[in-house]
């Protein structure tokens, strides 16, 4: 543990102290700050005694205490997790492991019935969903109370507030006895009020307890017994199962649960919790500032990186939770739109400093891309782009906090707000990219400096396009990407839905020739929208496979070159480690396909010049050999060595002759975009002339010259990758 606050959490989770919430920790009579680091506390050494001191309640602390007691009483009830209450998520760890989580139980049954159930056998006609939720039947314990709710006598009148009354509770015990309780600054006690008469005086049996659990245990023996049973079962669960997860998980196949009365749950459903849950009463959080400030935290050493990652995780968790509550409030109609005069699909919302928009095609923005179907999938693509640029973590370039929520059939996008964006028109704000699908394109030197660095990591090819004035504009991202400088002078990028290249398998193009293998698999297929794109994992896997082919190709020829030099020096030639090939073999030329090279007869896919699949160099020595050549000064290399690297680069489709560099143009097949011909064409490498296709080179996989269609990467090249490995 590092903070005093962590000791608080441990005490609130322990079986014997979990029902206490309002207390302080003191060392030698001095109260410790909850947010202080333990190592910074003077006088705290090994064996020091920290005392737990009960503190007077406030109205807020009393409400937090009552809520905590309710959570304890419902801790084994899965209804909250299935209904998405208070950040709870379903967990079946304790059930699946039969309670043997921490390996404390060493005794196992000698025999176990491993017969599969009938519903998973091949001949079964029913596929029930209930087995997907292995709820342990033993978790059902007897209730501790019938009713625990706020009394109708709330709030306390002025004179009673002067006496310290904070709020009133109404309780019905299992013995069917009814009690009216008072929460005061000193604790909880019973009063003499009834449903008809208000009498705040203390009951004849005075039981003043600092904890509500202690008071209920004194007035109800059944509560004391059942609560002890509940506690024993609760502590048997893993600690991670007893707390709300930072990122809540929702189950779309939740079973029908028994709906029980819960007055506190009902109160939460019809009351505003803004500020209360965040423990900042009366204030809203500036989410954008928090998100960007945590990103700017120092990260020079390991402690700084750990602190930064913790802060980022905490802020993002809070933002996701707040955005989820806000999206539900928007769909439920509890948030007023900022443009109430517009159609319901076009309305925008701002709640808790979060901007909300609905997944509909407003003003025919996605008309040519698929209408509402494209507008529905665009937020998901944008979220993947935000994640990709965030993972690059480039200093000085910022993305918006983005959450996509599906609720009641609606798709809601929640985003943090760029400072000053609501005070000016979009045309005045965008300094990079296009807001009208390529008609007006602008660029900024600062953004090009940032995005040129991210483009290399995200495998995005810089390309030039023409704007409405026929001026050439260089882009290092998709044309949809917009750059906006906020009032805080930070450089933001948004609308990242085209970060990754499109999947041409679902974008039929008339003048593109598809291979027979692709056609046999049923491609191309017309999809309901035109925003189909490749996943980042696929792009990375393809580039990795190409890199291995580059290494094998270059290492083999470098080995041959070394052997020739040894022969000239009248030294015994070194055997080639890559099979039976010798220095007399002609150099490999052509385009690498399926891990091999085009044969002399023009066929593709077979063995390359007599070499088998397992003959290629794949050792670390081969990598070191090639990387040492690539990283050396180009001018200092001999012509023969430079030619080997150049041929290997061209063979795998590298954009550069001197190193491995494969990138993709995310704007290919985008309507309305005019490319600069000089940017999309490139001189072919030495060797066999690549086949000519009717479509411009920009429409293919962005290599030095196009041999494979863009969409066929999934079919031919990825299969080749696994075959080669």
């Amino acid at each position: 543990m590092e903070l005093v606050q962590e000791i608080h959490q441990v005490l609130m989770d322990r079986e014997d102290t979990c029902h206490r919430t309002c207390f302080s920790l003191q060392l030698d009579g001095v109260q410790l700050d909850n947010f202080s680091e333990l190592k910074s506390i003077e006088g705290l050494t090994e064996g020091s005694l920290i005392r737990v001191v009960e503190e007077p309640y406030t109205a807020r602390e009393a409400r937090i205490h009552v809520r905590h007691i309710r959570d304890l009483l419902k801790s084994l009830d899965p209804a909250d997790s299935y209904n998405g209450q208070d950040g709870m998520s379903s967990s079946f760890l304790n059930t699946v492991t039969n309670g043997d989580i921490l390996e404390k139980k060493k005794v196992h049954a000698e025999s176990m019935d491993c017969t599969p159930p009938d519903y998973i056998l091949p001949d079964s006609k029913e596929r029930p969903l209930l087995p997907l939720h292995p709820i342990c039947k033993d978790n059902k314990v007897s209730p501790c109370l019938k009713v625990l709710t706020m009394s109708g006598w709330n709030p306390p009148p002025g004179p009673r507030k002067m006496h310290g009354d904070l709020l009133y509770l109404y309780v019905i015990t299992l013995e069917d006895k009814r009690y009216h309780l008072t929460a005061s600054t000193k604790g909880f006690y019973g009063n003499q009020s009834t449903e008809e008469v208000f009498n705040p005086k203390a009951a004849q049996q005075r039981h003043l307890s600092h904890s509500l659990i202690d008071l209920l245990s004194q007035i109800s023996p059944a509560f004391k017994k059942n609560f002890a049973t509940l506690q024993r079962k609760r502590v048997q669960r893993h600690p991670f199962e007893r707390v709300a997860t930072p990122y809540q998980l929702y189950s779309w196949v939740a079973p029908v649960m028994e709906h029980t009365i819960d007055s506190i749950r009902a109160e939460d459903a019809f009351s505003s919790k803004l500020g209360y849950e965040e423990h900042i009463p009366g204030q809203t959080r500036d989410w954008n500032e928090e998100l960007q400030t945590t990103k700017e935290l120092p990260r020079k050493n390991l402690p700084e990186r750990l602190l930064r990652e913790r802060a980022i995780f905490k802020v993002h968790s809070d933002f996701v939770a707040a955005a989820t509550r806000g999206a539900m409030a928007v769909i439920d109609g509890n948030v007023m739109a900022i443009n109430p005069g517009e159609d319901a699909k076009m309305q925008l919302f701002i709640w808790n400093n979060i901007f909300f928009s609905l997944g509909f095609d407003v003003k025919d923005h996605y008309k040519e891309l698929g209408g509402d179907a494209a507008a529905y999938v665009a937020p998901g693509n944008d979220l993947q782009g935000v994640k990709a640029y965030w993972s690059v973590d480039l200093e000085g370039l910022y993305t918006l906090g983005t959450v996509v929520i599906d609720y009641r059939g609606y798709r809601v996008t929640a985003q943090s707000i760029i400072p000053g964006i609501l005070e000016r028109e979009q045309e005045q704000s965008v300094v990079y990219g296009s807001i009208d699908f390529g008609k007006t394109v602008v660029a900024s030197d600062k953004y090009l400096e940032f995005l040129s660095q991210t483009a290399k990591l995200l495998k995005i090819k810089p390309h030039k396009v023409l704007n409405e004035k026929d001026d050439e504009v260089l882009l290092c991202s998709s044309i949809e990407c917009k750059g906006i400088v906020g009032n805080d002078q930070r450089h933001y990028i948004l609308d990242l839905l085209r970060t990754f290249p499109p999947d041409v398998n679902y974008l039929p193009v008339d003048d593109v020739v598809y291979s027979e293998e692709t056609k046999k698999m049923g491609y191309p297929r017309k999809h309901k929208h035109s925003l189909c794109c490749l996943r980042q994992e696929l792009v990375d896997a393809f580039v990795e496979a190409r890199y291995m082919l580059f290494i094998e190709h270059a290492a083999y020829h470098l080995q041959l070159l070394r052997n020739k030099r040894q022969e000239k020096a009248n030294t015994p030639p070194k055997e080639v480690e890559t099979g039976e090939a010798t220095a007399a073999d002609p150099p490999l030329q052509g385009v690498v396909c399926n891990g091999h090279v085009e044969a002399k007869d023009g066929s593709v896919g077979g063995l390359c010049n007599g070499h088998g699949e397992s003959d290629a160099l794949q050792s670390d020595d081969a990598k070191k050999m090639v990387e040492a050549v690539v990283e050396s000064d180009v001018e200092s290399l001999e012509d023969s060595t430079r030619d080997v690297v150049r041929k290997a680069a061209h063979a795998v489709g590298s954009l550069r002759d001197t190193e491995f560099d494969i990138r993709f143009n995310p704007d290919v097949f985008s309507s309305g975009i005019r490319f600069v011909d000089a940017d999309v064409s490139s001189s072919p490498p030495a060797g066999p002339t690549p086949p000519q296709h009717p479509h411009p080179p920009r429409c293919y996989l962005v290599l030095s010259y196009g041999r494979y269609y863009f969409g066929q990467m999934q079919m031919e090249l990825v299969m080749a990758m696994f075959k080669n490995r």
Side-chain angles (χ1 to χ4, degrees):
M1 291 184 292
E2 297 181 0
L3 300 177
V4 177
Q5 179 68 24
E6 297 180 24
I7 302 180
H8 270 260
Q9 296 298 330
V10 171
L11 293 177
M12 292 177 62
D13 192 59
R14 286 178 57 89
E15 180 180 3
D16 50 349
T17 58
C18 64
H19 56 279
R20 302 189 180 276
T21 61
C22 188
F23 60 88
S24 64
L25 301 176
Q26 296 185 4
L27 176 64
D28 298 332
V30 179
Q31 183 174 341
L32 303 180
D33 183 9
N34 289 339
F35 299 100
S36 298
E37 294 185 355
L38 295 177
K39 61 182 180 181
S40 64
I41 299 177
E42 297 182 1
L44 183 62
T45 58
E46 186 73 23
S48 297
L49 179 62
I50 299 178
R51 297 186 179 275
V52 179
V53 180
E54 297 175 347
E55 294 292 334
Y57 282 100
T58 61
R60 176 173 171 272
E61 289 291 344
R63 293 179 64 89
I64 292 177
H65 182 79
V66 174
R67 174 180 294 276
H68 182 67
I69 298 304
R70 182 264 178 194
D71 293 340
L72 288 178
L73 299 180
K74 296 286 185 178
S75 57
L76 297 183
D77 188 357
D80 282 352
S81 59
Y82 281 124
N83 293 326
Q85 297 288 332
D86 297 326
M88 298 301 295
S89 302
S90 299
S91 175
F92 310 124
L93 177 62
N94 190 75
T95 304
V96 173
T97 59
N98 293 324
D100 191 9
I101 302 174
L102 303 178
E103 298 184 357
K104 294 181 179 179
K105 299 179 180 179
K106 297 300 182 181
V107 180
H108 299 279
E110 297 181 357
S111 61
M112 181 180 298
D113 185 10
C114 299
T115 305
D118 296 336
Y119 51 80
I120 67 172
L121 296 179
D123 297 334
S124 177
K125 297 181 179 180
E126 296 184 0
R127 294 290 187 265
L129 296 177
L130 193 59
L132 297 176
H133 304 268
I135 303 175
C136 183
K137 300 298 187 295
D138 297 336
N139 282 346
K140 293 185 177 181
V141 297
S142 301
C144 299
L145 290 172
K146 288 186 176 181
V147 174
L148 172 61
T149 182
M150 295 294 174
S151 172
W153 298 113
N154 282 305
R160 293 307 306 175
K161 289 184 179 179
M162 299 296 292
H163 284 78
D165 292 359
L166 302 175
L167 54 88
Y168 301 121
L169 301 173
Y170 177 62
V171 174
I172 301 179
T173 65
L174 296 179
E175 294 86 356
D176 205 22
K177 294 183 179 180
R178 304 170 189 270
Y179 294 94
H180 286 262
L181 308 180
T182 299
S184 66
T185 56
K186 296 182 179 180
F188 297 84
Y189 63 89
N191 58 49
Q192 299 181 22
S193 297
T194 62
E195 286 80 353
E196 295 83 12
V197 179
F198 175 67
N199 186 357
K201 295 182 179 180
Q204 295 181 355
Q205 296 181 353
R206 297 187 178 184
H207 299 292
L208 177 62
S209 303
H210 194 267
S211 170
L212 181 59
I213 292 294
D214 293 340
L215 176 61
L216 295 175
S217 298
Q218 294 178 18
I219 63 178
S220 174
F223 174 87
K224 182 178 181 180
K225 176 183 177 182
N226 292 347
F227 184 74
T229 304
L230 182 146
Q231 283 289 81
R232 285 196 298 270
K233 292 189 175 182
R234 190 183 73 88
V235 297
Q236 291 176 358
R237 306 176 70 182
H238 194 278
F240 292 162
E241 292 185 280
R242 302 200 296 264
V243 297
T245 54
Y247 282 98
Q248 189 173 0
L249 302 178
Y250 299 92
S251 176
W252 58 273
V253 289
V256 178
M257 305 295 297
E258 181 182 0
H259 193 61
T260 58
I261 188 171
D262 190 339
S263 302
I264 297 179
R265 181 189 63 214
E267 179 189 6
D268 291 344
F270 296 101
S271 62
S272 174
K273 297 183 289 182
L274 178 60
Y276 166 70
E277 289 190 351
E278 308 300 336
H279 302 287
I280 311 178
Q283 300 181 23
T284 58
R285 299 171 64 171
D286 188 346
W287 293 108
N288 186 76
E289 184 63 25
E290 290 191 35
L291 292 169
Q292 313 310 340
T293 301
T294 53
K295 175 182 171 63
E296 295 171 346
L297 290 175
R299 43 187 163 174
K300 296 180 180 179
N301 49 50
L302 180 59
E304 289 182 349
R305 291 195 295 271
L306 290 175
L307 184 62
R308 178 176 181 265
E309 292 298 327
R310 287 183 179 180
I312 290 175
F313 183 78
K314 179 65 170 66
V315 173
H316 278 77
S317 301
D318 294 346
F319 179 70
V320 170
T324 304
R325 293 197 307 271
M328 296 172 64
V330 165
I331 300 303
D332 291 338
N334 296 328
V335 179
M336 180 66 69
I338 60 177
N339 54 341
E342 301 285 350
D343 183 71
K345 294 183 178 181
M346 301 175 61
Q347 290 182 348
L348 306 174
F349 306 85
I350 293 180
W351 180 86
N352 197 6
N353 281 337
I354 304 176
F355 179 80
F356 296 90
S357 59
L358 304 179
F360 295 106
D361 185 16
V362 298
K363 300 181 180 180
D364 294 333
H365 188 75
Y366 295 98
K367 182 178 180 180
E368 298 181 358
L369 302 176
D372 284 343
Y376 187 85
V377 76
N381 290 358
D382 182 44
L383 182 63
Q384 296 301 320
V386 172
K387 292 169 60 178
Y389 277 94
W390 175 268
S391 63
V392 173
D393 202 8
L394 180 65
E395 187 174 354
L397 187 65
Y398 300 88
T399 57
L400 300 183
T402 305
V403 182
V404 178
I405 305 100
D406 291 331
Y407 179 62
R408 288 178 48 189
Y410 293 88
R411 171 155 289 188
V412 184
T413 303
Q415 293 177 308
S416 59
I417 302 175
I418 298 177
I421 189 65
L422 302 177
E423 304 170 3
R424 47 187 171 172
E425 296 294 334
Q426 188 178 25
E427 293 81 359
Q428 302 173 353
S429 303
V430 176
V431 298
Y432 175 88
S434 175
I435 62 174
D436 49 12
F437 297 100
K439 296 180 181 179
T440 304
V441 188
V442 293
S444 166
D445 293 338
K446 192 65 175 178
Y447 272 98
L448 289 176
E449 177 186 348
F450 287 137
L451 294 176
S452 61
Q453 301 178 55
T454 60
K456 185 174 183 180
L457 297 175
L458 297 178
K459 313 300 186 295
I460 297 176
K461 178 182 181 295
H463 53 284
K464 293 181 179 181
V465 298
L466 298 175
N467 60 12
E468 78 285 358
K469 300 179 182 179
D470 292 334
D471 296 331
E472 297 183 4
V473 180
L474 177 64
L475 297 177
C476 293
S477 65
S478 68
I479 201 169
E480 287 281 342
C481 175
K482 300 174 181 59
I484 297 178
V485 181
N487 287 352
D488 54 1
Q489 301 305 311
R490 293 188 177 105
H491 291 75
Y492 296 90
I493 53 173
L494 60 155
D495 290 349
L496 307 175
L497 63 156
R498 289 186 182 272
T499 299
F500 301 108
D503 188 350
V504 185
N505 289 315
Y506 297 94
L507 297 175
V509 182
D510 295 335
D511 51 356
V512 168
V513 181
Y514 291 86
S515 67
E516 293 299 326
E517 184 179 1
T518 302
K519 294 179 180 179
K520 290 180 181 179
M521 301 181 69
Y523 294 96
R525 301 175 185 175
K526 179 66 176 178
H527 202 54
K528 57 184 177 180
H529 61 79
S530 302
L531 292 180
C532 302
C533 63
L534 304 177
R535 295 177 56 179
Q536 184 181 11
E537 295 85 355
L538 177 60
V539 175
D540 293 340
F542 170 75
V543 173
E544 181 183 355
R546 294 270 104 177
Y547 180 69
M548 292 303 302
L549 295 178
F550 172 78
I551 293 294
E552 297 167 10
H553 192 287
Y556 174 74
H557 284 82
L558 287 174
Q559 187 70 26
L560 294 179
L561 188 60
R562 287 185 177 182
N563 288 350
K564 289 182 178 180
R565 291 174 180 173
Q566 290 179 357
E567 288 180 354
K568 292 181 179 179
N570 296 324
T571 57
K574 191 175 182 179
E575 293 185 1
V576 181
E577 301 178 3
T578 57
E580 300 176 357
T582 63
D585 289 333
L588 301 179
Q589 295 188 8
V591 180
V592 175
C593 177
N594 291 343
H596 306 293
V597 183
E598 192 172 26
K600 296 179 180 179
D601 58 356
S603 61
V604 177
L607 298 180
C608 50
N609 293 335
H611 296 93
E613 295 183 17
S614 61
D615 294 336
L617 278 174
Q618 297 185 11
S619 63
D620 294 337
D621 295 337
K623 287 186 178 181
K624 294 178 181 179
M625 181 193 309
V626 177
E627 290 174 354
V629 173
V630 172
E631 294 175 359
S632 61
D633 187 5
V634 178
E635 297 180 356
S636 64
L637 295 176
E638 297 181 5
D639 292 339
S640 56
T641 305
R642 189 184 304 114
D643 184 64
V644 168
V645 176
R646 183 181 63 83
K647 288 182 178 181
H650 280 295
V652 299
S654 176
L655 292 176
R656 302 189 182 190
D657 294 340
T658 58
E659 62 178 346
F660 176 84
D661 187 14
I662 288 184
R663 307 195 195 184
F664 306 90
N665 187 341
D667 288 330
V668 293
F669 291 110
S670 298
S671 60
I673 301 179
R674 298 183 299 162
F675 293 89
V676 178
D677 293 337
D679 181 62
V680 298
S681 62
S682 59
S683 58
T689 303
Q692 300 297 321
H693 297 290
H695 217 278
R698 65 178 175 86
C699 297
Y700 301 110
L701 188 63
V702 184
L703 306 176
S704 293
Y705 61 97
R707 182 175 182 85
Y708 295 101
Y709 299 128
F710 201 78
Q712 292 176 346
M713 181 175 67
Q714 285 178 298
M715 302 303 165
E716 300 177 10
L717 298 181
V718 173
M719 289 191 300
M721 175 186 67
F722 290 109
K723 181 180 179 182
N724 185 50
R725 288 186 174 183

